[in-house]
Amino acid sequence: MTRPSTPPILSELRSPTSPATQIAALRALKNELIGHEQKKEMWIGLGVVAPLARILNTHKAGGKRRHREVNGALDRAGRAQTRTDEEEARMQAVIIVGSLANGGPAYIQPLSAGSVFPPLLSTLCPTESSPQLVLAALRSLNSVADSICLSCSTADPSDASLLNELYTDHHLTSLSHILEQSSVALITQQQICLAAALITKTCKEESQRKRLASSGVLDALATRLASFIVATRGPTSPSDAPDDLGTAEISVATTRSRLSSILQAIGTIISNSKLRTTRFACASAFATVFPRSEADPYSWRAPHSRLSKRHPSNNSLDNLLPSLSSSQFRDGLSQTSNFPPLGAHGGWGSKQRPSRGFSSALEITPTEVFSGSEDDETPLIAWLIHVVRAESDVTRLMAAWVLTLLYRAGLANRRREAGLAMLLVPLIVRMLAGDYSLPQDTPPSYDISVLHRPEWLMMEHAPTVLAMLVVDSIELQRAAVDAGAIKRLSQLLKQSYDPLPSASAPSMWAPTPHVSNGVDSAEPPSIPRLGPTGISPEAYHVLQMRESVLSALASMATFKDEYRKAIIDNGVVPFVIHSLKPQTKEPPNLFPNASATSEKPSSMGNPTSVLLAACGTARALSRSVSTLRTSLVDAGLAAPLYTLLKNRDIEVQVAATAVVCNLVLEFSPMREAIIEAGILKVLCEHAHSLNAKLRLNSVWALKHLVHTATNSLKMKCLEELGPGWLKQIICSDAEDVSFPLGYRGGERESSGGTPITMGTPNAAGEQVDLLNAVEEESPGSSEAADEDEEEVNMVDSIGALSKIETIHKGRVFSANSKSTAHKSAIGQESDLGAAAQARMDDILVQEQGLNFIRNLICGQGAAEMIDYIFRELGQDKLFEILASKLRPKVVDAFNRDRRSAGNAVKHIPPQQEILTSVCYILVHLAAGSPRHRQLLISQTELLKLIVPLFSHYSAEVRTCCAWIVINLTYTDDQSDKVHCKTRAYELRKLGVYEKLEELESDPELDVRERTHTAIHQMKELLR
């Protein structure tokens, strides 16, 4: 085949005869490419990328000084007229790159291979490039980011992160300078909008969010947001601000400004972090626009007037909101004040979302770190509520998102919940129903990306905002259900499986496969070729909507069984099962008897993010015993879930294992099927994983699996795990490392999570929802909950349900960045470092390892299992481990340099969860045979460590101590009576009887009842 001649345009670009002819060639190429997909493919094959990269690199010599002079000396009209030939060439090259990127994901690979992105990013600096060039670069980079979004759905995101170079100090400084511009000129406002859009599209990882916050970009966005607040409240003089802030006057936003893009960028950065959210709320710009009165330093305290007419309002922004009657306020508050919320979050989460996050089996949330009155809240809350009610379409949605993030971070008064239920939740549900306004006079967005159509954004993000808002609030969930959220979410999930229109973009004909446009295959390998085509914008929208809808359904099913039933009654279970189908080829079906519904494949499979959300929904629905026995069994949940346990993505394995924790409970009809399919071996393999979350979920599932299992299955499980490995995880002394005060072992900030403080463990190791409680079993007998109770609500003892990270609502403070509360927030960083997080994960695994032993030695044949445990782990070794868990940890015992009269050795008490697990093990040991009780009473040092626990602040620990006494003083038969009396005397010598007498007036009924039984048995033996 004859090699085609090189086009004159390409020859001129490779070897320009003069700057003018080069510019003319670039303009001709631009006109030829725009809107012509086939010609884009042809020019890529001809090798046009390398000349474009060379032209973009011409700015490196002397450009910095020249543009500073131009920007400082000439007006905007003069700049365009005096643009040099070099600048004009770069401008045309930037536009051409943007046009190529608009062709889709296939063009990202050749552009990256041609090293186009580094010089393109370098043109962002407003001090080195003209405003027109900066604007063109932002448009091109947004096009590149859009194409990367379409390619990430079919490839590993680590292979598609071509814009990571954006997150360097130099380029982030350029973005900050763009956002800090105060000019009201159209080109400046376009730059600000597109810079914010670029942040939204490219910021996917937690490290990127941190860099944006630390580089000044978040502060610049806060200043931009303050300009809209000024437009609402009127100009604010710098003299109104505190003298020590030194902030400049905040400009007023104009009709050329775009609020939605600013809010979306802010939400992207502050998500998944209470610290970043706090830092944003305390930005100096807000202290300027929300000045405090010297006469009333709490003038911006959240008022009661919008909640009750009896209280006057000090907040002028609250006067913009409708009044709520005091009865409405009391009704809303009464629903949430008695019980703290259960944790249901995700990796917010996450996902994250951090790391595409699905939250682990137990997410940890720090307790409140902020001091202050319950009435304190950031004044941004009232302003954002006003924006949500006053604006429309995307601006309303993004304001609701930022408002929800502030609310989740604890920056809103708790009295706001009733107002949010009536003012915010119905509006979000209306967005789901398509009942939103798109006025014809709405100013157009400067970002014309097809992926950011207003109607698409509403469908993709409204369910996520709703999920984040209602995930741990019964009151807000009720408001959402009353507004018809479940019905609309179900419709959207079904809609996401409607057939998609076929791709209409034609491919250019070639005489042989994979040869572009007649270019001979002998062409040098350096010539870039098109990459994977990715997915269509329509498919991307559908997957994004499917993910957010699944997360919202999971959040609606965290508390009420009636809501779970409503979700199932809307016919979504088959679609949830379809959403568990990955894009990769699945292993052979191990469940031949599964229904045909579970085998019905979706047309395109699902990316990781959808798989994680679907696992969260399946996990939420499986919390109901009746649902687990009927709908989920009929739909065939087990088969696709077992496939996901072996998925290549570790996060999918974590999510699937979390669902398995519910499926292996004793009353689950799927339990026997998945055991026969080999779930035991898979879980044991996952338990040895280096991933902490997968290790935790697997041990948690194994703990449920061995409960009420046969002794042979229990022994097989311990053999598969390895006794040495089990001793290793429960012997960890990680809990003696310093943790922020107030942290519990079972709480962490996630996806969005709240501490799981309402889950009361029963003997099976499960946490029971006290709001819809399972009948609690006796620790002494280890009998399971009644399996015949069909309407009981089962909580899977795993607090995280969705990819959304939720944050415990702590007390908050003012917008003054100099406040003590702000310093406290910075000092008590909730985003723990990797080392601290690893230590906390070790504690969680250690707790579940102890609970695994607890379930091994309970139920039928407990005596045999106790002897087996003693043989495998070592009798003395086990008692030594248990005693070590009860001893306080010594900090700095051997560090003489740090010890002084004022800095003595510190003793850190054991974690409550570890104490509870150890005490339950002792309860079951004491419930064994008389020989085991004699063995336990001989462990004097261990029992001495138990005595102080009779005064422990945890009622559960005190109850366990009473159960230990009850079981040790229980007489099996007359032959054991002499030994039983001996045990009673030993307990009295240790001071146990006096401790029991103190517990007779315990405020907890369960403690008093168990104490009365223990005292009665001891009195009978001591007579």
Side-chain angles (χ1 to χ4, degrees):
M1 184 177 67
T2 304
R3 183 187 300 272
S5 60
T6 302
I9 292 178
L10 185 59
S11 300
E12 182 63 32
L13 294 181
R14 289 174 174 173
S15 303
T17 56
S18 67
T21 56
Q22 184 185 49
I23 293 173
L26 287 168
R27 287 175 175 166
L29 177 61
K30 176 187 69 174
N31 296 331
E32 188 170 343
L33 290 179
I34 292 178
H36 297 276
E37 300 302 320
Q38 294 180 344
K39 290 189 177 181
K40 291 178 183 179
E41 183 178 350
M42 179 191 72
W43 280 101
I44 288 291
L46 292 174
V48 76
V49 175
L52 291 176
R54 179 185 56 79
I55 295 172
L56 290 174
N57 271 305
T58 57
H59 78 286
K60 293 184 177 180
K64 186 172 183 179
R65 178 187 59 80
R66 178 175 60 256
H67 286 294
R68 283 182 175 174
E69 292 175 356
V70 170
N71 290 339
L74 300 178
D75 59 13
R76 296 185 180 274
R79 291 179 197 173
Q81 295 174 359
T82 60
R83 203 160 50 226
T84 63
D85 290 340
E86 179 184 301
E87 291 174 316
E88 184 63 29
R90 290 207 312 274
M91 170 78 76
Q92 299 301 323
V94 167
I95 296 174
I96 291 171
V97 170
S99 177
L100 291 172
N102 269 326
Y107 293 88
I108 298 301
Q109 180 174 311
L111 289 175
S112 177
S115 301
V116 167
F117 296 129
L120 181 61
L121 289 169
S122 298
T123 60
L124 284 178
C125 182
T127 61
E128 298 180 14
S129 303
S130 65
Q132 293 82 1
L133 182 57
V134 172
L135 181 60
L138 286 169
R139 287 172 174 163
S140 296
L141 287 171
N142 272 275
S143 297
V144 172
D146 290 335
S147 294
I148 289 178
C149 288
L150 297 179
S151 63
C152 285
S153 297
T154 56
D156 188 350
S158 62
D159 298 331
S161 56
L162 302 179
L163 289 180
N164 280 343
E165 297 180 37
L166 173 63
Y167 292 90
T168 59
D169 292 338
H170 176 70
H171 299 317
L172 290 180
T173 301
S174 299
L175 283 178
S176 180
H177 288 166
I178 293 172
L179 295 170
E180 289 170 352
Q181 298 176 102
S182 58
S183 172
V184 297
L186 177 60
I187 191 171
T188 301
Q189 296 303 318
Q190 289 175 328
Q191 289 178 7
I192 292 173
C193 177
L194 291 175
L198 183 62
I199 292 171
T200 300
K201 296 172 184 178
T202 59
C203 183
K204 305 298 181 183
E205 304 295 333
E206 184 67 15
S207 60
Q208 295 170 343
R209 297 185 183 98
K210 290 180 179 179
R211 292 189 67 86
L212 287 169
S214 61
S215 63
V217 173
L218 182 59
D219 293 333
L221 287 168
T223 303
R224 294 270 61 80
L225 185 63
S227 67
F228 290 93
I229 299 174
V230 173
T232 303
R233 300 184 58 236
T236 299
S237 170
S239 61
D240 295 334
D243 294 336
D244 58 342
L245 291 177
T247 55
E249 182 177 0
I250 304 297
S251 60
V252 181
T254 67
T255 56
R256 292 176 172 177
S257 306
R258 297 293 182 267
L259 177 57
S260 60
S261 60
I262 300 299
L263 289 171
Q264 191 172 8
I266 290 172
T268 301
I269 297 175
I270 67 176
S271 60
N272 310 326
S273 171
K274 177 181 282 188
L275 178 68
R276 288 195 299 272
T277 306
T278 301
R279 177 174 180 170
F280 161 72
C282 295
S284 59
F286 299 136
T288 302
V289 298
F290 295 123
R292 288 180 177 273
S293 169
E294 294 183 1
D296 183 8
Y298 298 100
S299 58
W300 282 113
R301 175 177 291 181
H304 296 194
S305 63
R306 299 296 93 189
L307 305 174
S308 173
K309 296 179 180 179
R310 296 175 296 174
H311 299 278
S313 173
N314 292 321
N315 190 339
S316 59
L317 287 177
D318 261 274
N319 294 326
L320 300 174
L321 306 180
S323 298
L324 304 179
S325 66
S326 58
S327 61
Q328 288 173 315
F329 165 68
R330 286 195 301 268
D331 292 343
L333 185 59
S334 64
Q335 300 295 334
T336 57
S337 59
N338 294 331
F339 298 101
L342 289 172
H345 12 128
W348 191 3
S350 27
K351 255 231 123 328
Q352 227 138 316
R353 76 193 167 252
S355 185
R356 300 172 295 164
F358 187 93
S359 43
S360 70
L362 184 59
E363 293 294 341
I364 311 168
T365 303
T367 54
E368 297 177 4
V369 298
F370 305 118
S371 59
S373 167
E374 287 187 353
D375 292 336
D376 286 348
E377 80 170 9
T378 171
L380 281 172
I381 298 295
W383 183 80
L384 287 170
I385 294 177
H386 167 67
V387 172
V388 171
R389 293 180 56 80
E391 297 292 338
S392 60
D393 58 80
V394 180
T395 303
R396 166 180 286 178
L397 176 62
M398 296 308 161
W401 183 26
V402 176
L403 172 62
T404 301
L405 292 174
L406 295 175
Y407 171 74
R408 300 297 310 161
L411 303 181
N413 187 292
R414 64 191 297 250
R415 293 180 175 86
R416 287 285 186 193
E417 185 166 288
L420 295 177
M422 285 175 277
L423 301 179
L424 180 59
V425 173
L427 290 177
I428 298 177
V429 176
R430 284 175 56 188
M431 297 181 198
L432 295 175
D435 184 11
Y436 51 85
S437 57
L438 291 174
Q440 295 182 355
D441 58 347
T442 300
S445 173
Y446 300 132
D447 181 15
I448 58 175
S449 167
V450 66
L451 299 181
H452 288 73
R453 298 175 184 173
E455 58 274 17
W456 282 12
L457 286 177
M458 306 293 277
M459 294 297 99
E460 293 171 12
H461 292 280
T464 300
V465 176
L466 181 65
M468 193 186 308
L469 184 63
V470 309
V471 64
D472 65 349
S473 171
I474 296 179
E475 175 69 14
L476 296 178
Q477 287 181 13
R478 181 184 298 111
V481 172
D482 291 344
I486 290 180
K487 180 179 179 181
R488 181 53 186 162
L489 288 171
S490 302
Q491 292 173 349
L492 289 178
L493 181 58
K494 297 174 184 178
Q495 181 181 329
S496 72
Y497 280 94
D498 290 343
L500 294 174
S502 58
S504 58
S507 298
M508 190 165 184
W509 177 87
T512 57
H514 308 294
V515 178
S516 298
N517 316 309
V519 179
D520 188 48
S521 59
E523 203 64 54
S526 59
I527 298 298
R529 300 298 182 193
L530 295 184
T533 56
I535 61 175
S536 66
E538 291 78 10
Y540 176 83
H541 161 65
V542 163
L543 293 175
Q544 292 292 308
M545 182 177 67
R546 185 180 302 169
E547 175 192 353
S548 61
V549 168
L550 287 168
S551 298
L553 289 172
S555 297
M556 299 296 297
T558 55
F559 290 114
K560 295 283 191 178
D561 197 37
E562 60 182 286
Y563 298 163
R564 300 185 188 107
K565 291 181 179 178
I567 293 173
I568 294 171
D569 290 343
N570 276 275
V572 302
V573 173
F575 297 94
V576 173
I577 303 303
H578 293 339
S579 301
L580 293 172
K581 179 182 181 295
Q583 291 174 322
T584 56
K585 185 178 179 180
E586 298 181 0
N589 180 25
L590 300 179
F591 299 85
N593 296 326
S595 65
T597 304
S598 65
E599 297 297 320
K600 181 181 178 181
S602 62
S603 59
M604 54 192 302
N606 299 279
T608 297
S609 58
V610 176
L611 296 177
L612 299 180
C615 286
T617 306
R619 185 165 145 215
L621 295 177
S622 64
R623 286 185 161 195
S624 170
V625 177
S626 58
T627 300
L628 193 59
R629 287 176 172 174
T630 55
S631 301
L632 296 181
V633 174
D634 295 339
L637 173 63
L641 196 64
Y642 190 92
T643 297
L644 295 183
L645 288 173
K646 299 183 178 182
N647 192 279
R648 293 177 298 178
D649 193 299
I650 192 70
E651 293 188 36
V652 175
Q653 296 179 20
V654 171
T657 308
V659 185
V660 171
C661 289
N662 286 352
L663 303 186
V664 296
L665 290 168
E666 56 180 318
F667 44 76
S668 170
M670 306 181 199
R671 175 185 171 106
E672 295 302 324
I674 60 179
I675 290 177
E676 293 176 0
I679 192 68
L680 177 61
K681 184 175 182 180
V682 175
L683 291 177
C684 290
E685 290 175 355
H686 287 350
H688 289 80
S689 171
L690 296 179
N691 183 280
K693 291 183 178 181
L694 182 58
R695 189 165 62 247
L696 172 62
N697 287 8
S698 301
V699 178
W700 208 309
L702 289 170
K703 175 193 71 174
H704 288 172
L705 181 65
V706 299
H707 181 247
T708 69
T710 62
N711 284 0
S712 59
L713 181 61
K714 291 180 179 180
M715 294 177 184
K716 182 180 179 181
C717 185
L718 181 58
E719 179 183 353
E720 192 75 35
L721 276 177
W725 176 88
L726 183 59
K727 286 190 290 186
Q728 179 182 347
I729 65 168
I730 66 175
C731 284
S732 172
D733 290 329
E735 73 270 19
D736 65 348
V737 194
S738 59
F739 281 91
L741 294 180
Y743 268 71
R744 296 177 65 243
E747 301 172 355
R748 181 180 72 176
E749 177 182 347
S750 71
S751 168
T754 54
I756 309 172
T757 54
M758 288 300 295
T760 302
N762 56 22
E766 306 151 12
Q767 287 195 339
V768 180
D769 185 351
L770 296 186
L771 301 177
N772 304 281
V774 176
E775 180 184 354
E776 186 174 353
E777 54 185 306
S778 166
S781 63
S782 299
E783 291 297 328
D786 186 1
E787 294 186 21
D788 297 327
E789 185 65 30
E790 289 292 336
E791 299 305 323
V792 76
N793 276 357
M794 180 271 298
V795 175
D796 60 3
S797 72
I798 302 174
L801 280 183
S802 73
K803 69 184 180 60
I804 309 167
E805 175 186 337
T806 57
I807 301 179
H808 182 50
K809 296 178 285 185
R811 294 188 181 123
V812 293
F813 42 90
S814 71
N816 191 342
S817 62
K818 300 294 184 180
S819 65
T820 303
H822 183 209
K823 296 178 182 178
S824 174
I826 300 300
Q828 300 191 43
E829 163 68 68
S830 61
D831 302 318
L832 299 177
Q837 185 60 65
R839 292 194 294 267
M840 296 184 74
D841 290 335
D842 287 341
I843 290 179
L844 295 177
V845 176
Q846 180 185 155
E847 177 190 353
Q848 297 311 311
L850 292 169
N851 288 336
F852 174 76
I853 295 176
R854 166 189 169 185
N855 284 357
L856 284 177
I857 59 177
C858 72
Q860 297 293 331
E864 179 187 1
M865 286 305 303
I866 292 175
D867 292 333
Y868 179 77
I869 287 291
F870 283 160
R871 289 196 307 270
E872 294 298 321
L873 302 184
Q875 175 180 301
D876 296 337
K877 180 62 176 178
L878 179 60
F879 283 123
E880 178 185 340
I881 293 173
L882 297 178
S884 68
K885 301 296 106 180
L886 301 177
R887 295 190 186 99
K889 304 302 175 182
V890 180
V891 178
D892 287 344
F894 303 102
N895 193 342
R896 296 184 178 181
D897 295 336
R898 297 179 58 183
R899 291 176 58 182
S900 63
N903 185 24
V905 174
K906 296 181 180 179
H907 296 271
I908 300 179
Q911 297 279 328
Q912 175 195 331
E913 290 74 15
I914 300 297
L915 288 178
T916 303
S917 300
V918 171
C919 288
Y920 274 119
I921 291 176
L922 297 178
V923 167
H924 292 312
L925 289 176
S929 65
R931 176 170 54 86
H932 296 139
R933 288 194 280 274
Q934 285 299 111
L935 184 61
L936 180 58
I937 200 66
S938 66
Q939 304 296 320
T940 305
E941 293 301 320
L942 177 61
L943 295 177
K944 286 181 179 179
L945 295 171
I946 292 291
V947 175
L949 299 183
F950 282 86
S951 304
H952 196 270
Y953 66 88
S954 170
E956 187 175 11
V957 173
R958 300 196 302 272
T959 303
C960 285
C961 292
W963 271 113
I964 293 174
V965 177
I966 293 173
N967 288 350
L968 284 175
T969 57
Y970 179 78
T971 305
D972 280 343
D973 48 42
Q974 289 298 321
S975 63
D976 184 46
K977 191 166 186 179
V978 175
H979 296 297
C980 196
K981 285 187 176 183
T982 303
R983 294 194 294 270
Y985 279 107
E986 289 294 329
L987 290 173
R988 187 172 67 175
K989 286 170 57 179
L990 293 171
V992 171
Y993 191 82
E994 290 77 7
K995 289 291 185 179
L996 287 173
E997 290 180 330
E998 296 176 3
L999 292 182
E1000 284 188 294
S1001 58
D1002 194 275
E1004 294 291 333
L1005 176 62
D1006 191 33
V1007 177
R1008 294 197 304 270
E1009 293 294 331
R1010 304 292 82 76
T1011 300
H1012 293 160
T1013 303
I1015 289 178
H1016 171 74
Q1017 291 185 187
M1018 287 196 70
K1019 283 183 177 179
E1020 291 292 325
L1021 295 171
L1022 295 175
R1023 286 190 303 182

